[in-house]
Amino acid sequence: MTTQFKPVEEQLAYLKKGAAEVIREDELKSKLAESIKTGKPLRVYLGVDPTAPDLHLGHTVVLRKLKHFQDMGHTAVFLIGDFSAMIGDPTGVSETRPPLTREQVDANAKTYLEQVFKILDPKKTEVRYNSEWLNKLNAVDVVRLCSHYRLARMLEREDFRSRLENQQPISVHELLYPLLTALDAVNLKSDVELGATEQKFNLLVHREIQREYGVPGQAVLTMPILVGRDGSRKMSKSLGNYVGITEPPVEMFGKIMSIPDELMWQYYELVTDRTPAEITTLKSDVASGKLHPRDVKVRLATEVISDFHGPEAAEKAAENFQRVYSERQAPTEMPVVRMQQGEIRQLNSLLVELKLVASKSEADRLIKQGGVEVDGVRANDPRMVMPTYKPGEFTLRVGKKTFLKVVVE
């Protein structure tokens, strides 16, 4: 049975949304036109080395683009680089990346798939592992592969060039990485490969090696790096500016609402399925004053969380945010600390004991500025006596965002 595809220009507009570069666009248009003519979907793949167990929104940018091809009726191939992960991709690193063990790769691959299928349709996704063909290579195969690419060109890549200039070592297995992963494209007979902008060198090597092995060269579509919540640097766990896709919905919602207003348009482009026309309309409505930026950001957070936790969880997270930040009410759920009844404590001392502030002087200042509430009532006296001498419970609010329920037993 042949697939009914949308017109080339309509597909292209949707597929190019948020893309950094298409190499080459005329080739991609030609491939789309041919798929309409034959009724045969394009084979589009994304290769991922499972180097860490958890994904954040930055990882999902290219994954969502694979979904967009899937939405257009094409075959989405999610390739797990279980072999290549044990080599270590040299892209973007200033020293040799330590290879992973088979046990680490297998464990990470399992959690990757669980998270990936929150975006991709598992029934329509072809999952492959590059150990299927790379494990079978012999010495002759590797020598033949290396004969198709010149060392001088390999050393032109920025990562290697800077390491040579700084007299930092480059291991031979790192030179093999883009060549071995090129065999992924050869074996998958891919029409299109997706990747982040920093992967461009590897993707172009793949395209060239395909031709050397008698396979039509794939088109390449790269996606930009997602900027983190700080609004300036790439999203990264090490920088603390990330939004994890397995984090609780309330936490994800708060993090997305904290991004600068101007950054939400990039998020709409890269981490939602909104069409370019829809995003343009939202921008116009904000610019004209018809919509408040906060309301548009609430929509963004709700859509993102719906993808990973479901619409009901997203709605509850939105309601919680409304209670806490707009209506200044306590959230329905908050951290709980339990204390044994005993001595009488003053409010400023209790805040220090609970590590809500660093010192009594900081507690005094915060209380006098109206930044502390007890059971929803603003506290004015730092020496206010707290009911920690008898069983019961009360809530504390410190600053705009910190809530704590104290249970005295």
Side-chain angles (χ1 to χ4, degrees):
M1 190 177 88
T2 57
T3 305
Q4 295 298 313
F5 298 102
K6 292 183 178 180
V8 170
E9 293 301 330
E10 188 177 339
Q11 287 193 62
L12 198 61
Y14 186 56
L15 297 173
K16 284 176 61 183
K17 185 193 80 158
E21 190 174 8
V22 180
I23 307 169
R24 299 175 38 183
E25 187 171 326
D26 60 334
E27 291 182 14
L28 178 56
K29 287 178 73 171
S30 176
K31 289 175 185 289
L32 290 171
E34 183 66 17
S35 73
I36 292 174
K37 181 180 176 182
T38 62
K40 183 180 178 184
L42 298 181
R43 289 182 60 75
V44 185
Y45 95 97
L46 168 64
V48 177
D49 287 353
T51 54
D54 296 315
L55 302 179
H56 56 62
L57 276 186
H59 295 125
T60 70
V61 170
V62 187
L63 192 60
R64 186 168 294 277
K65 186 54 60 181
L66 184 60
K67 176 187 182 294
H68 292 167
F69 275 92
Q70 195 173 62
D71 291 343
M72 292 293 104
H74 300 292
T75 302
V77 183
F78 185 71
L79 177 76
I80 294 177
D82 58 331
F83 183 99
S84 46
M86 294 189 292
I87 300 174
D89 185 358
T91 301
V93 296
S94 58
E95 57 186 31
T96 302
R97 193 190 299 270
L100 299 181
T101 65
R102 166 54 65 182
E103 290 73 20
Q104 289 173 311
V105 169
D106 289 346
N108 291 348
K110 183 176 182 295
T111 59
Y112 260 43
L113 285 176
E114 292 170 358
Q115 295 169 66
V116 161
F117 287 143
K118 290 178 181 289
I119 296 178
L120 298 177
D121 183 342
K123 295 178 181 177
K124 297 179 181 179
T125 304
E126 182 180 323
V127 178
R128 303 293 293 274
Y129 297 81
N130 63 9
S131 60
E132 293 174 33
W133 44 86
L134 295 182
N135 269 345
K136 298 173 183 176
L137 294 180
N138 58 35
V140 173
D141 296 326
V142 175
V143 171
R144 179 191 172 207
L145 174 63
C146 292
S147 71
H148 290 298
Y149 209 82
R150 296 185 184 280
L151 178 61
R153 289 195 61 192
M154 187 70 73
L155 295 178
E156 285 174 2
R157 70 178 292 172
E158 185 180 346
D159 309 304
F160 291 153
R161 190 173 65 248
S162 64
R163 279 159 70 175
L164 284 174
E165 289 172 356
N166 295 319
Q167 298 184 327
Q168 293 173 312
I170 300 172
S171 298
V172 174
H173 76 278
E174 294 180 277
L175 302 177
L176 286 174
Y177 184 90
L179 295 177
L180 289 169
T181 52
L183 292 180
D184 299 343
V186 171
N187 282 273
L188 291 173
K189 294 182 173 58
S190 52
D191 298 298
V192 184
E193 183 177 3
L194 310 178
T197 49
E198 61 186 7
Q199 291 290 330
K200 181 178 176 180
F201 180 89
N202 288 349
L203 305 186
L204 293 178
V205 172
H206 298 176
R207 168 183 162 98
E208 189 169 331
I209 295 298
Q210 271 185 316
R211 291 169 175 161
E212 293 289 334
Y213 278 74
V215 177
Q218 62 188 11
V220 166
L221 190 151
T222 61
M223 297 297 293
I225 303 298
L226 186 68
V227 175
R229 294 184 299 117
D230 55 6
S232 59
R233 298 173 295 178
K234 67 178 282 188
M235 185 172 285
S236 167
K237 282 195 173 183
S238 61
L239 295 174
N241 63 355
Y242 70 99
V243 181
I245 69 171
T246 58
E247 291 182 298
V250 169
E251 194 169 334
M252 285 184 72
F253 203 100
K255 285 186 173 184
I256 294 172
M257 292 300 296
S258 74
I259 67 174
D261 287 351
E262 62 273 13
L263 187 59
M264 69 178 170
W265 304 121
Q266 188 200 42
Y267 278 51
Y268 264 112
E269 279 197 334
L270 301 182
V271 299
T272 78
D273 294 330
R274 291 269 188 169
T275 65
E278 289 173 327
I279 296 170
T280 298
T281 300
L282 286 173
K283 280 185 177 180
S284 298
D285 288 346
V286 169
S288 67
K290 185 178 180 181
L291 286 175
H292 193 284
R294 182 195 58 200
D295 297 331
V296 179
K297 206 184 293 181
V298 165
R299 292 188 194 180
L300 170 66
T302 303
E303 289 178 26
V304 170
I305 292 165
S306 292
D307 281 341
F308 302 110
H309 296 284
E312 186 178 342
E315 188 177 335
K316 285 183 178 179
E319 290 171 356
N320 186 79
F321 184 85
Q322 179 73 9
R323 285 176 59 85
V324 176
Y325 294 94
S326 300
E327 300 171 4
R328 296 185 64 82
Q329 296 182 35
T332 53
E333 296 180 9
M334 67 182 81
V336 176
V337 62
R338 299 184 180 278
M339 303 181 68
Q340 292 297 317
Q341 60 177 310
E343 61 184 89
I344 295 174
R345 293 175 175 83
Q346 294 179 344
L347 178 57
N348 55 3
S349 299
L350 181 62
L351 295 181
V352 175
E353 183 179 340
L354 296 175
K355 295 183 170 56
L356 296 172
V357 294
S359 64
K360 274 191 179 182
S361 59
E362 183 183 342
D364 291 349
R365 183 174 64 254
L366 194 61
I367 293 166
K368 289 174 182 177
Q369 290 173 347
V372 177
E373 292 180 0
V374 179
D375 284 335
V377 179
R378 181 179 295 177
N380 298 309
D381 183 4
R383 297 182 181 180
M384 173 183 176
V385 174
M386 302 304 295
T388 54
Y389 53 87
K390 61 180 182 179
E393 62 181 51
F394 56 90
T395 61
L396 292 173
R397 174 178 183 153
V398 181
K400 293 181 179 180
K401 301 179 181 179
T402 304
F403 288 88
L404 188 69
K405 177 182 285 188
V406 180
V407 177
V408 184
E409 300 172 324

